[in-house]
Amino acid sequence: MNNKEILQKANSLITEGDYEGFLSFCTEDTKWTFVGDQILNGKNKVREYMRKAYSEPPKFMVDHLIAENDFVTAVGKISMKNGDGKTVEYSYCDVWRFKNNKMDELTAFVIEN
């Protein structure tokens, strides 16, 4: 699989609620930066985040998926339940850097609609 296909497969696992399957596509020392919010260092921190943030699997609507060299950028919308159980929709732009066919670093721009 190329990087674009890897990201598509990994994201499909999230929407199925298979977070460990998703994490299998990430490097052990993956780094996620949510611009203006928080930085997660390592698979365990990402696992903790997913356990809290994804009480129910999120839904992705990808408008654009752009791949070049070691980078794949996804632009679209994501909807997920907040702490009160209300579904909230966000616009997002995820910039992924790959290393050895694994998702190594994420820079995420997420804005509530």
Side-chain angles (χ1 to χ4, degrees):
M1 284 191 287
N2 64 37
N3 291 340
K4 195 173 180 180
E5 292 167 335
I6 291 168
L7 180 59
Q8 289 172 314
K9 175 62 177 169
N11 279 346
S12 73
L13 292 171
I14 284 182
T15 60
E16 295 168 12
D18 185 358
Y19 306 138
E20 287 303 315
F22 171 88
L23 288 169
S24 73
F25 288 96
C26 295
T27 61
E28 284 301 317
D29 60 347
T30 191
K31 178 181 178 184
W32 289 20
T33 302
F34 294 94
V35 175
D37 186 24
Q38 63 180 321
I39 297 173
L40 307 174
N41 288 299
K43 228 185 232 191
N44 285 331
K45 292 293 183 186
V46 171
R47 184 177 286 114
E48 288 172 23
Y49 167 81
M50 293 173 96
R51 195 174 3 252
K52 291 176 190 169
Y54 301 158
S55 59
E56 187 174 294
K59 294 177 179 57
F60 291 94
M61 287 78 53
V62 179
D63 296 325
H64 303 286
L65 201 56
I66 305 154
E68 183 174 318
N69 300 321
D70 292 336
F71 292 89
V72 177
T73 300
V75 178
K77 294 189 176 22
I78 182 172
S79 60
M80 52 196 240
K81 300 248 181 193
N82 66 12
D84 298 327
K86 178 184 172 196
T87 299
V88 180
E89 188 172 275
Y90 302 87
S91 292
Y92 77 93
C93 177
D94 285 351
V95 181
W96 287 96
R97 184 173 61 83
F98 283 73
K99 183 168 77 176
N100 301 322
N101 295 327
K102 296 259 187 180
M103 297 182 302
D104 186 50
E105 193 171 325
L106 167 65
T107 302
F109 302 86
V110 184
I111 302 166
E112 186 175 337
N113 292 339

